[in-house]
Amino acid sequence: MEKYTDLEQALQDTSLAMITDDLSTQKELNKAFLKYRVLSKKQKRFSDYYSNEFFGHTVPEMYVQVKEKLKADNHTFKEWQLPNEKLMLSEPDLYYKEESFNSGDTNICFILGHSGSGKSMMARTLEGEDIDHIELDDLLLTKDHFTMDELKDYSDMFYSFFTGEGAKYYIGIEERDSIPKEDYEDKVFIDFVRFAMDYAGQHRDKKYIIDGIWIYLYFDDPSFFEDYAVFIKGTSFLKSKIRTMKREMQRDKETLQDRKQMFGREVRNYLLDEDKINSYRLYFGKHPDTVLRAETNEASKKDETVVNELHNINKCFVDEDAEGINAILKKAEEDTELSNWNKLRIINECISALFDLRKSN
């Protein structure tokens, strides 16, 4: 395959799928991401390589960033006041039944935390070929964003829900305006989570990650989730919003004032959300299957190291550099500072890339 040094050339290659930062609607974004998801592993490597070269992020990372931008652009902004000290304090990240999920004994994981706290980033550290990551936001107005064929490509669980017991929730904005909130938004999340639990139990060959604020907003009793993996981002409200602002400033500095004004509306909802999240922390925090990890700069550096190594694997794959991949493999095997999970991620990616490289030659 020809190696591109120009973005426009890469975008014209129909065998690649990339997400650019000029997409203006959720439907356009979903369409671009669906094209990526159905690619072969080989073409995903090429797509992630060029995405990282031209945008500094892989295609899934670009999906999350552009999605957050579109959400922020649709907010109605109001005046804001400085938050109190409680809004600044982060809790440790909580991992309940992490080992069980990694081993496959538990095949569904629910992730919760404040909006913008890094739930999607937490999910991406677990994603793999056998993991289906679903964001609960996609349950709303699904018809406006996904055709049935696109739902099938997006998620087998989603497709089964909307073609089965959740068919009545497959609506767009026109239908939503004629349906009482209590018959739609107040029910679709509850019905889907219950469906997801049953569906995962019947499809043990795959893992499922479900994230969203709707988990703690619609389920008051944490014990409802005790048979499943539950991860809770401890990132404070203020830190979550500062991260969003920094990301948006890098993309469009003129929107800084709008991002500031966004705090006012969300601060008013903070205490209610925090009380609900805290009930989950208290319930799972004392359980022997729970691990707490502080979000530290050192941890961020290690995560960055892993991301860089995964990109280096793709670079070597594009360059058909088997020796380079073997070098990364050996380095990971000998690295005593890597966690077992991150070590396994890098090693498995190297083995997979070497296999695909031999297959294509």
Side-chain angles (χ1 to χ4, degrees), residues 187-203:
K187 288 186 177 180
V188 63
F189 298 108
I190 295 173
D191 287 354
F192 176 76
V193 167
R194 293 179 181 277
F195 172 86
M197 290 174 171
D198 291 339
Y199 187 90
Q202 297 169 18
H203 296 79

Side-chain angles (χ1 to χ4, degrees), residues 81 107 113 163 238 258 284 334:
Q81 298 176 345
N107 73 322
T163 55
L238 184 58
D258 284 343
F284 292 110
E334 297 175 351

Side-chain angles (χ1 to χ4, degrees), residues 26 29 63-71 135 138:
Q26 182 69 43
L29 176 60
Y63 171 77
V64 173
Q65 290 213 8
V66 175
K67 184 169 185 174
E68 289 299 318
K69 177 181 181 296
L70 293 176
K71 284 183 189 176
E135 297 185 40
D138 290 330

Side-chain angles (χ1 to χ4, degrees), residues 42-72:
K42 175 182 177 181
Q43 292 311 120
K44 282 181 180 177
R45 290 190 190 281
F46 279 108
S47 297
D48 281 333
Y49 168 76
Y50 284 115
S51 180
N52 198 76
E53 286 293 296
F54 293 120
F55 301 112
H57 302 283
T58 63
V59 177
E61 290 168 350
M62 284 297 293
Y63 171 77
V64 173
Q65 290 213 8
V66 175
K67 184 169 185 174
E68 289 299 318
K69 177 181 181 296
L70 293 176
K71 284 183 189 176

Side-chain angles (χ1 to χ4, degrees), residues 10-11 16 25-26 36 54 63-64 66 104 121 147 156 161 173 175 198 216 240 244 246 248 250 270-271 307 346:
L11 291 175
L16 301 176
T25 68
Q26 182 69 43
Y36 169 84
F54 293 120
Y63 171 77
V64 173
V66 175
M121 178 66 74
T147 66
D156 55 349
F161 177 70
I173 192 167
E175 295 97 330
D198 291 339
Y216 60 79
S240 299
T244 302
K246 285 182 176 179
E248 293 303 324
Q250 291 174 354
Y270 165 77
L271 289 177
V307 170
I346 295 173

Side-chain angles (χ1 to χ4, degrees), residues 32-240:
F33 193 47
L34 285 169
K35 181 180 178 183
Y36 169 84
R37 291 191 65 158
V38 299
L39 290 178
S40 66
K41 181 65 175 178
K42 175 182 177 181
Q43 292 311 120
K44 282 181 180 177
R45 290 190 190 281
F46 279 108
S47 297
D48 281 333
Y49 168 76
Y50 284 115
S51 180
N52 198 76
E53 286 293 296
F54 293 120
F55 301 112
H57 302 283
T58 63
V59 177
E61 290 168 350
M62 284 297 293
Y63 171 77
V64 173
Q65 290 213 8
V66 175
K67 184 169 185 174
E68 289 299 318
K69 177 181 181 296
L70 293 176
K71 284 183 189 176
D73 287 345
N74 287 327
H75 281 309
T76 300
F77 302 112
K78 297 183 180 179
E79 198 66 27
W80 73 288
Q81 298 176 345
L82 278 173
N84 61 40
E85 183 178 339
K86 185 180 179 183
L87 305 185
M88 305 182 197
L89 302 177
S90 292
E91 299 278 352
D93 291 341
L94 183 151
Y95 297 81
Y96 170 68
K97 290 196 173 184
E98 180 185 21
E99 289 188 9
S100 179
F101 183 76
N102 285 339
S103 68
D105 290 340
T106 301
N107 73 322
I108 186 168
C109 175
F110 295 91
I111 300 181
L112 58 146
H114 284 296
S115 179
S117 61
K119 298 185 296 297
S120 295
M121 178 66 74
M122 179 182 273
R124 287 204 301 277
T125 66
L126 297 170
E127 284 190 85
E129 288 300 296
D130 62 341
I131 299 183
D132 199 351
H133 177 199
I134 294 169
E135 297 185 40
L136 289 176
D137 286 347
D138 290 330
L139 282 167
L140 291 177
L141 305 180
T142 308
K143 188 177 180 180
D144 285 344
H145 306 309
F146 297 94
T147 66
M148 278 299 175
D149 285 341
E150 288 171 339
L151 275 179
K152 189 181 297 185
D153 291 331
Y154 173 65
S155 162
D156 55 349
M157 180 184 284
F158 244 38
Y159 179 75
S160 296
F161 177 70
F162 283 111
T163 55
E165 62 185 73
K168 62 183 177 181
Y169 299 124
Y170 183 66
I171 64 173
I173 192 167
E174 292 183 6
E175 295 97 330
R176 195 273 305 273
D177 291 341
S178 63
I179 299 175
K181 181 176 181 290
E182 60 270 19
D183 292 336
Y184 177 48
E185 187 173 321
D186 287 356
K187 288 186 177 180
V188 63
F189 298 108
I190 295 173
D191 287 354
F192 176 76
V193 167
R194 293 179 181 277
F195 172 86
M197 290 174 171
D198 291 339
Y199 187 90
Q202 297 169 18
H203 296 79
R204 299 289 306 173
D205 58 326
K206 196 168 188 177
K207 295 181 184 178
Y208 300 90
I209 298 174
I210 297 176
D211 82 66
I213 63 173
W214 312 100
I215 295 169
Y216 60 79
L217 291 180
Y218 284 98
F219 292 88
D220 292 329
D221 184 3
S223 67
F224 184 71
F225 296 90
E226 66 181 351
D227 293 333
Y228 311 95
V230 176
F231 297 170
I232 304 175
K233 280 297 298 178
T235 311
S236 70
F237 169 85
L238 184 58
K239 188 172 182 180
S240 299

